């Protein structure tokens, strides 16, 4: 009887665990500081009449804003560092994609973004974790929306592809410069002033957990095209009743 070798331990897993623990320990007192700064800010806003008091109020506002930003950054990191466990179940990809688009539709309408879908009617059902897959897709379409501040078109297509399911997301936004494209899925890489650089990295992580891939093409001034390919089942997954 042959035995399968044990997978090599991930050298970064221990580091990620340590950093996540440190981030958690920092987040708790930082949240308390942010809350107290908010209370202090409310007190000073009621009675800041002299130039000195107004200068103090402005400094408190800066401290409160930056502390809140750091708390948000730590929360994003902790979500990323959390071990992902997929719970695969039969998923209708067309339906799942439509639910994501329904969620972002009000904001798209406010930005004058037209959403167009081209769904393959014969798309096979896949085994995937619907919550994780929705999170991955939501990160992509939100980025597409943000790339079209003055309106545009968001096109989402699905199709079967040689035992895989393909999802394509195209926007007519500002596009991504060539020197940024290779880094767009890297942790903490962002071109947004208030971005965390975690969303698209998390998306890639979720797709890889499902045995999928993600690819990006973009042209400045014309838009971005993202292609996702997912297998019908994640690696090592055997539906109930199926032989391993």
């Amino acid at each position: 009887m042959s035995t399968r070798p044990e997978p090599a331990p991930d050298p970064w897993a221990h580091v990620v665990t340590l950093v996540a623990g440190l981030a958690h320990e920092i987040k708790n007192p930082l949240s308390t500081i942010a809350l107290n700064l908010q209370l202090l800010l409310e007190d000073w806003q009621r009675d800041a009449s002299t130039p000195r008091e107004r200068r103090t109020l402005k400094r408190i506002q800066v401290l409160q804003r930056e502390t809140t930003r750091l708390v948000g950054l730590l929360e994003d990191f902790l979500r990323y560092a959390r071990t992902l466990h997929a719970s695969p179940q039969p998923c209708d990809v067309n339906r799942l994609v439509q639910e994501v688009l329904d969620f972002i539709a009000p904001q798209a309408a406010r930005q004058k973004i037209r959403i167009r879908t081209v769904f393959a009617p014969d798309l096979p059902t896949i085994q995937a974790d619907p919550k994780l897959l929705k999170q991955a897709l939501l990160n992509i379409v939100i980025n597409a929306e943000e790339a079209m501040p003055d309106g545009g078109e968001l096109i989402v297509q699905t199709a079967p592809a040689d035992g895989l399911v393909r999802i394509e997301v195209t926007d007519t936004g500002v596009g991504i410069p060539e020197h940024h494209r290779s880094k767009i899925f890297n942790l903490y890489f962002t071109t947004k002033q208030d971005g965390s650089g975690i969303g698209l990295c998390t998306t890639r992580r979720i797709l890889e957990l499902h045995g999928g891939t993600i690819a990006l093409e973009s042209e400045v001034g014309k838009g971005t095209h993202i292609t996702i390919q997912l297998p019908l089942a994640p690696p090592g997954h055997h539906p109930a009743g199926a032989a391993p």
Side-chain angles (χ1 to χ4, degrees):
M1 182 177 67
S2 63
T3 58
R4 184 175 297 175
E6 290 291 325
D10 182 356
W12 287 103
H14 183 58
V15 176
V16 169
T17 301
L18 286 175
V19 174
L22 178 61
H24 184 74
E25 291 301 316
I26 294 172
K27 175 181 168 290
N28 288 336
L30 197 60
S31 297
T32 303
I33 292 169
L35 176 60
N36 280 279
L37 281 169
Q38 179 62 37
L39 296 173
L40 186 62
L41 182 61
E42 291 171 3
D43 283 343
W44 276 83
Q45 282 175 329
R46 283 194 292 265
D47 190 27
S49 54
T50 68
R52 182 181 180 185
E53 288 171 341
R54 285 193 289 270
R55 285 196 302 272
T56 301
L57 174 61
K58 188 173 182 180
R59 288 168 185 155
I60 294 171
Q61 288 172 327
V62 171
L63 286 170
Q64 196 268 343
R65 183 173 62 249
E66 288 304 302
T67 304
T68 301
R69 184 183 67 82
L70 288 173
V71 170
L73 188 61
L74 285 170
E75 288 174 345
D76 285 343
F77 173 76
L78 287 169
R79 278 193 293 270
Y80 174 80
R82 191 178 300 127
T83 302
L84 293 178
H85 295 290
S87 300
Q89 57 185 273
C91 283
D92 180 336
V93 171
N94 287 342
R95 180 177 177 179
L96 190 144
V97 171
Q98 188 60 60
E99 288 174 357
V100 171
L101 295 177
D102 288 344
F103 179 75
I104 61 112
Q107 180 60 33
R110 281 191 289 271
Q111 290 182 217
K112 295 182 171 55
I113 296 171
R114 180 190 173 205
I115 298 176
R116 185 157 60 91
T117 57
V118 183
F119 291 161
D122 56 343
L123 204 64
T125 298
I126 69 170
Q127 293 287 330
D129 187 311
K131 290 182 180 179
L132 289 179
L133 205 50
K134 274 187 179 181
Q135 182 184 346
L137 291 169
L138 188 60
N139 288 338
I140 291 170
V141 296
I142 286 176
N143 273 272
E145 273 191 335
E146 292 174 346
M148 297 183 283
D150 301 319
E153 188 171 34
L154 176 64
I155 307 164
V156 184
Q157 304 173 78
T158 63
D162 298 325
L164 302 169
V165 165
R166 186 169 64 241
I167 305 169
E168 298 181 59
V169 180
T170 306
D171 68 64
T172 57
V174 295
I176 301 167
E178 185 175 358
H179 60 283
H180 285 163
R181 290 173 207 159
S182 63
K183 299 179 281 188
I184 206 71
F185 296 107
N186 291 357
L187 183 61
Y188 292 133
F189 178 79
T190 181
T191 58
K192 304 172 195 171
Q193 186 174 357
D194 57 349
S196 66
I198 290 176
L200 288 179
C201 185
T202 300
T203 288
R204 183 176 67 176
R205 188 177 174 211
I206 290 170
L207 295 174
E208 289 176 349
L209 182 67
H210 285 82
T213 61
I214 184 167
L216 177 145
E217 299 172 62
S218 189
E219 188 172 345
V220 174
K222 291 191 175 180
T224 299
H225 179 84
I226 286 180
T227 302
I228 294 168
Q229 294 199 119
L230 289 163
L232 300 186
H237 174 72
H238 302 288

